[in-house]
Amino acid sequence: MVKPTRHIASINDLSKTEITGIFDLAQTYLDTLHDPILPYRVARSCDAASGAVLATLFYEPSTRTRLSFESAMLRMGGRVISSADSGASSAAKGESLADTVRVVSNYADVIVVRHPRDGAARLAADYCSVPVINGGDGSHEHPTQTLCDLFTLNKRNSSFKNLNVAISGDLRGSRTIHSLVYALARFGANIILMPAKGLELPSHVFNRLRDEMHCRMTPAQSENGHASIDALYVTANAPHQLSLIPEGVDIHVRMTSRVDAVYVTRFQKERSGGKIENTYPTVNAEFLSDAKYSNASVMHPLPRVGELDQSMDTDKRATYFEQAAYGVPIRMALISALLGLQNNHLLKSYDGGFPSSKALSIDQHLDAGIQCQNANCIVHDTLEQPYVRSKFSLISSVPERSKLRCVYCETDIEHFVVGNVETRKFTANVAQINAATSRQLKQFVFFKDDQAALARDYRSGDPLNAGR
Ligand SMILES: [Zn+2]
């Protein structure tokens, strides 16, 4: 049997074992190709990817991500093709991403996609015969940045387990943070959220950490009299101002006594309409003078725009330039694994990810009923609409806690009804479909509410029984 092509649209497409395998491979590249003065920098080339071609399709401006992918491929002796600006070429001519990747997959062995819409990488993967790597899609995820971040943390600490990682800034619009918190939770690190006011983690990300990655919440402790970003995270009306702690970890003492890493992010102006609700938190020497930060690695995905003081650059805790340098060996390792360049590191089967989903898949025409409610989801892009469907996973059918998750952007919908196209009955009690036969499962149509179902001539009742 031919194994399906492996794509990396989310950090959750990789199992923990695969992630540590990528770290091992990145370290091997570093060991053999590093700069003699700067050991975290790849300074020489090899021929591991000789003959292979990487294409970058970037519909959004990028310098670091694009150049680090290109550098990674060139350091392995491969070649790179890229459109000067995909946003100004294909899309401007009215060509969809779906068509573009189908064409470009004839020219390259692996494609990196960056796109302003959430879920664009998953759509590209649906239409691509070679591996697609998500180079950042809207506010959804940026998995290769997270691999760099984790690799950096892994180099500086003996284990992720019980590591205390504080995350400061725009947690709402930063796709980097969404990938990072999932990975940290899966590896058992403690996450201390320090969002700018109004820029907390999106509720679907927060709920997923709580409900599916076994994080429990502990209100963070206030810092009396300390005019720092710590003061922002304990407020009665902002339920996200909490710490996320994997089950079984007693964090209270640790959290106040030691922070192992402070991860700083910039305000994602382009994804927030340019408005900022409050003074944005700044990390500087004064903030880091608290004893609990004395050994904390200071990290930042870069670029910075004022939230991380330049005076920190000479501080021994500053890790961000080293973190950026690891982008090359990590991307070398990921490309290697996807293309099977090293026999012992191969991501060819699709058995990775978290966890292998047993959720019911829903796949219906975009106009049949419910649509993703995230306005920035790729399903709402007019160019892509002929190529997308309303695709969801039924994460929970428990009454009052039912949940549909968009397959593209992974935003959840918590209120919906289900109808049966044959009986023309619908119900909000989604648990009823658990009694359905496999034939009946194909008859279900999901609607956003009663009114939407009634408008399509469905009547309230038991969808499995035409008589009731
Ligand atoms: Zn969506």
Side-chain angles (χ1 to χ4, degrees), residues 389-429:
R389 293 174 61 83
S390 278
K391 294 209 268 188
F392 298 95
S393 302
L394 181 62
I395 300 298
S396 168
S397 58
V398 176
E400 310 298 323
R401 285 193 288 130
S402 55
K403 190 183 283 187
L404 282 181
R405 177 167 301 148
C406 174
V407 163
Y408 301 103
C409 73
E410 302 189 274
T411 302
D412 292 340
I413 300 175
E414 295 179 350
H415 301 287
F416 53 93
V417 302
V418 58
N420 182 323
V421 72
E422 205 158 87
T423 64
R424 308 302 289 185
K425 300 286 183 61
F426 76 89
T427 179
N429 181 6

Coordinates of all heavy atoms in Angstrom, one line a residue, residues 389-429:
R389 N -14.7 22.5 1.6 CA -16.0 22.0 2.1 C -16.1 22.3 3.6 O -15.2 22.7 4.2 CB -16.1 20.5 1.8 CG -16.1 20.1 0.4 CD -16.1 18.6 0.1 NE -17.2 17.9 0.7 CZ -18.4 17.7 0.1 NH1 -18.6 18.3 -1.1 NH2 -19.3 17.0 0.7
S390 N -17.3 22.2 4.1 CA -17.5 22.3 5.5 C -17.0 21.0 6.2 O -17.7 20.0 6.2 CB -18.9 22.6 5.9 OG -19.2 24.0 5.7
K391 N -15.7 21.0 6.7 CA -15.2 19.8 7.2 C -14.9 20.0 8.7 O -14.2 21.0 9.1 CB -13.8 19.5 6.5 CG -14.1 19.1 5.1 CD -13.0 18.1 4.6 CE -11.8 18.8 4.0 NZ -10.9 17.8 3.3
F392 N -15.5 19.2 9.5 CA -15.4 19.3 11.0 C -15.0 17.9 11.6 O -15.3 16.9 11.0 CB -16.7 19.8 11.6 CG -17.1 21.1 11.1 CD1 -18.0 21.3 10.1 CD2 -16.6 22.3 11.7 CE1 -18.4 22.5 9.7 CE2 -17.0 23.5 11.3 CZ -17.9 23.7 10.3
S393 N -14.5 17.9 12.8 CA -14.4 16.7 13.6 C -15.4 16.9 14.7 O -15.4 18.0 15.3 CB -13.0 16.6 14.2 OG -12.1 16.5 13.1
L394 N -16.2 15.9 15.0 CA -17.1 16.0 16.2 C -16.3 15.6 17.4 O -16.1 14.4 17.7 CB -18.3 15.0 15.9 CG -19.3 15.0 17.1 CD1 -20.0 16.4 17.2 CD2 -20.4 14.0 16.8
I395 N -15.8 16.6 18.1 CA -14.9 16.3 19.2 C -15.7 15.8 20.4 O -15.2 14.9 21.2 CB -14.2 17.6 19.6 CG1 -13.3 18.1 18.4 CG2 -13.3 17.5 20.9 CD1 -12.2 17.2 18.0
S396 N -16.9 16.3 20.6 CA -17.7 15.8 21.7 C -19.2 15.9 21.3 O -19.7 16.8 20.7 CB -17.5 16.7 23.0 OG -18.5 16.4 24.0
S397 N -19.9 14.8 21.7 CA -21.4 14.8 21.5 C -22.1 14.8 22.8 O -23.3 14.5 22.8 CB -21.8 13.6 20.6 OG -21.4 12.4 21.3
V398 N -21.4 15.0 23.9 CA -22.0 15.0 25.2 C -23.0 16.2 25.3 O -22.6 17.4 25.0 CB -20.9 15.2 26.3 CG1 -21.5 15.3 27.7 CG2 -19.9 14.0 26.2
P399 N -24.2 16.0 25.8 CA -25.2 17.1 25.8 C -24.6 18.3 26.7 O -23.9 18.0 27.7 CB -26.4 16.4 26.6 CG -26.3 15.0 26.2 CD -24.8 14.7 26.1
E400 N -24.9 19.4 26.2 CA -24.4 20.7 26.8 C -22.9 20.9 26.6 O -22.4 22.0 26.9 CB -24.7 20.8 28.3 CG -26.1 20.5 28.8 CD -27.1 21.4 28.2 OE1 -26.8 22.6 28.1 OE2 -28.2 20.9 27.8
R401 N -22.2 19.9 26.2 CA -20.7 20.1 25.9 C -20.3 19.6 24.5 O -19.2 19.3 24.3 CB -19.9 19.4 27.0 CG -20.0 20.1 28.4 CD -18.9 19.6 29.3 NE -19.2 18.3 29.8 CZ -18.4 17.3 29.8 NH1 -17.1 17.4 29.3 NH2 -18.7 16.1 30.3
S402 N -21.3 19.6 23.6 CA -21.0 19.1 22.3 C -20.0 20.1 21.6 O -20.0 21.3 21.9 CB -22.2 18.9 21.5 OG -23.0 20.1 21.5
K403 N -19.2 19.6 20.7 CA -18.2 20.5 20.1 C -17.8 20.0 18.7 O -17.5 18.8 18.5 CB -16.9 20.5 21.0 CG -15.9 21.5 20.7 CD -14.7 21.3 21.6 CE -14.9 21.9 22.9 NZ -13.6 21.9 23.7
L404 N -17.8 20.9 17.8 CA -17.3 20.6 16.4 C -16.1 21.4 16.2 O -16.0 22.6 16.6 CB -18.3 21.1 15.4 CG -19.6 20.3 15.0 CD1 -20.4 21.1 13.9 CD2 -19.3 18.9 14.6
R405 N -15.1 20.8 15.6 CA -13.8 21.5 15.3 C -13.6 21.6 13.8 O -13.5 20.6 13.1 CB -12.7 20.8 16.0 CG -11.3 21.5 15.7 CD -10.2 21.0 16.6 NE -10.6 21.3 18.0 CZ -10.3 20.5 19.1 NH1 -9.6 19.5 18.9 NH2 -10.7 20.9 20.3
C406 N -13.4 22.8 13.3 CA -13.1 23.0 11.9 C -11.8 22.3 11.5 O -10.8 22.5 12.2 CB -13.0 24.5 11.5 SG -12.4 24.8 9.9
V407 N -11.8 21.5 10.5 CA -10.6 20.7 10.2 C -9.4 21.6 9.7 O -8.3 21.4 9.9 CB -10.9 19.7 9.1 CG1 -9.7 19.1 8.4 CG2 -11.7 18.5 9.7
Y408 N -9.8 22.8 9.1 CA -8.8 23.7 8.5 C -8.1 24.5 9.6 O -6.9 24.5 9.8 CB -9.4 24.6 7.5 CG -10.0 23.9 6.3 CD1 -11.4 23.7 6.2 CD2 -9.2 23.3 5.3 CE1 -12.0 23.1 5.1 CE2 -9.8 22.7 4.2 CZ -11.2 22.5 4.1 OH -11.7 21.9 3.1
C409 N -9.0 25.3 10.3 CA -8.4 26.3 11.2 C -8.5 25.9 12.7 O -7.9 26.5 13.6 CB -9.1 27.7 11.1 SG -10.8 27.7 11.8
E410 N -9.2 24.7 13.0 CA -9.2 24.1 14.3 C -10.0 25.0 15.3 O -9.8 24.9 16.5 CB -7.9 23.7 14.8 CG -7.2 22.7 13.9 CD -6.0 22.1 14.5 OE1 -4.9 22.7 14.3 OE2 -6.1 21.0 15.1
T411 N -10.8 25.9 14.8 CA -11.7 26.7 15.7 C -12.9 25.8 16.1 O -13.4 25.1 15.2 CB -12.1 28.0 15.0 OG1 -11.0 28.8 14.7 CG2 -13.0 28.8 16.0
D412 N -13.3 25.9 17.3 CA -14.4 25.1 17.7 C -15.8 25.8 17.7 O -15.9 27.0 17.9 CB -14.2 24.6 19.2 CG -13.0 23.7 19.3 OD1 -12.6 23.1 18.3 OD2 -12.5 23.5 20.4
I413 N -16.8 25.0 17.4 CA -18.2 25.5 17.5 C -18.9 24.7 18.6 O -18.9 23.5 18.6 CB -18.9 25.3 16.1 CG1 -18.2 26.0 15.0 CG2 -20.4 25.7 16.2 CD1 -18.8 25.8 13.6
E414 N -19.5 25.4 19.5 CA -20.1 24.7 20.7 C -21.7 24.6 20.6 O -22.3 24.0 21.5 CB -19.6 25.3 22.0 CG -18.1 25.1 22.1 CD -17.5 25.7 23.4 OE1 -18.2 26.5 24.0 OE2 -16.4 25.4 23.6
H415 N -22.3 25.4 19.7 CA -23.7 25.3 19.6 C -24.1 25.0 18.2 O -23.8 25.8 17.3 CB -24.3 26.7 20.1 CG -23.9 27.0 21.5 ND1 -24.5 26.4 22.6 CD2 -23.0 27.9 21.9 CE1 -23.9 26.9 23.6 NE2 -23.0 27.8 23.3
F416 N -24.8 23.9 18.0 CA -25.2 23.5 16.7 C -26.3 22.4 16.8 O -26.5 21.9 17.9 CB -24.0 23.0 15.9 CG -23.2 21.9 16.6 CD1 -23.5 20.6 16.3 CD2 -22.2 22.2 17.5 CE1 -22.8 19.6 17.0 CE2 -21.5 21.2 18.1 CZ -21.8 19.9 17.9
V417 N -26.9 22.1 15.7 CA -27.9 21.0 15.7 C -27.6 20.1 14.6 O -26.9 20.4 13.6 CB -29.4 21.6 15.6 CG1 -29.7 22.6 16.7 CG2 -29.6 22.2 14.2
V418 N -28.2 18.9 14.7 CA -27.9 17.9 13.6 C -29.2 17.4 13.1 O -30.2 17.1 13.8 CB -27.0 16.7 14.2 CG1 -27.6 16.0 15.4 CG2 -26.7 15.7 13.1
G419 N -29.3 17.3 11.8 CA -30.5 16.8 11.1 C -30.2 15.6 10.3 O -29.0 15.3 10.0
N420 N -31.3 14.8 9.9 CA -31.1 13.7 9.1 C -31.8 14.0 7.7 O -33.0 14.3 7.7 CB -31.7 12.4 9.7 CG -31.6 11.2 8.9 OD1 -31.6 11.2 7.7 ND2 -31.3 10.1 9.6
V421 N -31.1 13.9 6.7 CA -31.6 14.3 5.4 C -32.8 13.4 4.9 O -33.6 13.8 4.1 CB -30.4 14.3 4.3 CG1 -30.0 12.9 4.0 CG2 -30.8 15.1 3.1
E422 N -32.8 12.2 5.5 CA -33.9 11.3 5.1 C -35.2 11.5 5.9 O -36.3 11.6 5.4 CB -33.4 9.8 5.3 CG -34.1 8.8 4.3 CD -33.3 7.6 4.1 OE1 -33.4 6.7 4.9 OE2 -32.5 7.6 3.1
T423 N -35.0 11.6 7.3 CA -36.2 11.7 8.1 C -36.7 13.2 8.2 O -37.8 13.5 8.7 CB -35.9 11.2 9.6 OG1 -34.9 12.1 10.1 CG2 -35.4 9.8 9.6
R424 N -35.8 14.1 7.8 CA -36.0 15.5 7.9 C -36.3 16.0 9.3 O -37.0 17.0 9.5 CB -37.2 16.0 7.0 CG -37.1 15.5 5.5 CD -35.9 16.0 4.8 NE -35.8 17.4 4.5 CZ -34.9 18.0 3.8 NH1 -33.8 17.2 3.4 NH2 -34.9 19.3 3.6
K425 N -35.8 15.3 10.3 CA -35.9 15.7 11.7 C -34.5 16.2 12.1 O -33.4 15.8 11.7 CB -36.2 14.5 12.6 CG -37.6 13.9 12.2 CD -38.7 14.7 12.7 CE -40.0 14.0 12.4 NZ -40.2 12.8 13.1
F426 N -34.5 17.2 13.1 CA -33.3 17.6 13.6 C -33.3 17.8 15.2 O -34.4 17.8 15.7 CB -32.9 19.0 13.0 CG -33.7 20.2 13.6 CD1 -33.2 20.9 14.7 CD2 -34.9 20.6 13.0 CE1 -34.0 21.9 15.2 CE2 -35.6 21.6 13.5 CZ -35.2 22.3 14.6
T427 N -32.2 17.8 15.8 CA -32.1 17.9 17.3 C -30.8 18.6 17.7 O -29.8 18.5 17.0 CB -32.2 16.5 17.9 OG1 -32.1 16.7 19.4 CG2 -31.0 15.6 17.5
A428 N -30.9 19.2 18.9 CA -29.7 19.8 19.4 C -29.0 18.8 20.3 O -27.9 19.0 20.7 CB -30.1 21.0 20.3
N429 N -29.7 17.6 20.5 CA -29.0 16.6 21.3 C -28.2 15.7 20.4 O -28.6 14.7 19.9 CB -30.1 15.8 22.0 CG -29.5 14.7 22.9 OD1 -28.3 14.6 23.0 ND2 -30.3 13.8 23.5

